[in-house]
Amino acid sequence: MSLSPAVCPVGETGCPLLQEVTELRQQVITDPLTGLHNVRYFRNSLEHELERTRRTGMATALMMVDLDHFKNINDTHGHENGNRVLIFVAELLNSATRKLDLCCRYGGEEFAVILPSTELMLARQVAERFRQALEESDIPLAEGTLKVTASIGIAVAPDSDEIEPGALIEMADGALYEAKRGGRNQVRAQRPPEKDHHVTVDERDALRNLFSGD
């Protein structure tokens, strides 16, 4: 999802408030700490991408990222250093994902990434690239550096399913919790269960009666 650009009224050669309006509109969709898109923009964009999946048949993947033991970071190093960690992670997330991916701060120490036109295998590669890059990073604090890891959950909406945004978020969160329970600093994934195409007893009886000639 993208906002239409602000334009000057027809016939005006100058528009003194144009820059201010543009900046205000950007603030509405941006997290002030990290500079990533905020959760409101994320939800609107996810709905837009799932609609695209329904129209084009190209899968949409969702990646939920949660920093491991972040409360300990705040308690031990202070909230200012906690903010430094969040800013660093946001910048790394932008650099480790693709230009078409949409990185957002979901809340607290949790981030969300929408991966358009992406199947599970590629989504795993994107997630693992970021996870490894974060694990290997030395994050600069006010004094010294810090090592941080993240747990990542992935969910995929394939072309055959009309899944709602809330359901896809729930699936990705479920995969994220699996990563936490599995020991953290790892990637787990879920996708919707295959639809049951078995013929029911009533359907089988109806077909039998249809072709039996009775």
Side-chain angles (χ1 to χ4, degrees), residues 13 17 26 30 34 40 48 50 56 65 83 98 123 127 132 141 147 177 182 184 186 196 208 212:
T13 57
L17 296 180
Q26 188 64 29
T30 302
T34 64
R40 176 184 178 184
H48 176 82
L50 291 180
T56 66
V65 179
N83 286 342
R98 307 165 302 176
Q132 184 174 354
L141 304 182
K147 289 285 190 181
Y177 294 143
R184 297 182 171 84
Q186 57 187 272
D196 187 359
R208 183 184 297 114
S212 64

Side-chain angles (χ1 to χ4, degrees), residues 113-194:
V113 183
I114 302 172
L115 301 97
S117 306
T118 303
E119 294 288 352
L120 180 57
M121 182 179 296
L122 179 56
R124 278 185 177 275
Q125 293 174 359
V126 174
E128 185 59 35
R129 179 168 62 244
F130 166 75
R131 187 205 63 78
Q132 184 174 354
L134 178 60
E135 182 183 25
E136 296 173 352
S137 296
D138 293 311
I139 302 178
L141 304 182
E143 296 181 359
T145 60
L146 183 67
K147 289 285 190 181
V148 175
T149 62
S151 301
I152 302 174
I154 300 171
V156 177
D159 57 351
S160 60
D161 292 270
E162 293 191 6
I163 186 169
E164 294 299 319
L168 191 66
I169 294 171
E170 185 176 342
M171 287 172 54
D173 272 335
L176 173 60
Y177 294 143
E178 287 181 9
K180 293 286 189 182
R181 289 193 297 265
R184 297 182 171 84
N185 190 27
Q186 57 187 272
V187 177
R188 295 289 182 92
Q190 289 188 9
R191 67 181 299 146
E194 296 293 332

Side-chain angles (χ1 to χ4, degrees), residues 54-74:
R54 288 188 281 269
R55 292 198 319 267
T56 66
M58 301 184 72
T60 295
L62 173 62
M63 189 169 87
M64 302 298 289
V65 179
D66 190 82
L67 302 185
D68 297 327
H69 305 297
F70 186 74
K71 183 178 183 300
N72 292 343
I73 296 174
N74 280 332

Side-chain angles (χ1 to χ4, degrees), residues 1-2 28-31 36-50 60-65 93 101-107 110-116 153 155 164-173:
M1 186 200 75
S2 60
V28 170
I29 64 173
T30 302
D31 173 61
L36 298 181
H37 293 300
N38 60 23
V39 67
R40 176 184 178 184
Y41 189 85
F42 160 75
R43 292 186 182 278
N44 289 336
S45 297
L46 182 59
E47 185 173 352
H48 176 82
E49 289 302 329
L50 291 180
T60 295
L62 173 62
M63 189 169 87
M64 302 298 289
V65 179
L93 194 59
D101 299 328
L102 183 66
C103 300
C104 309
R105 186 181 181 195
Y106 193 69
E110 191 170 6
F111 300 85
V113 183
I114 302 172
L115 301 97
E164 294 299 319
L168 191 66
I169 294 171
E170 185 176 342
M171 287 172 54
D173 272 335

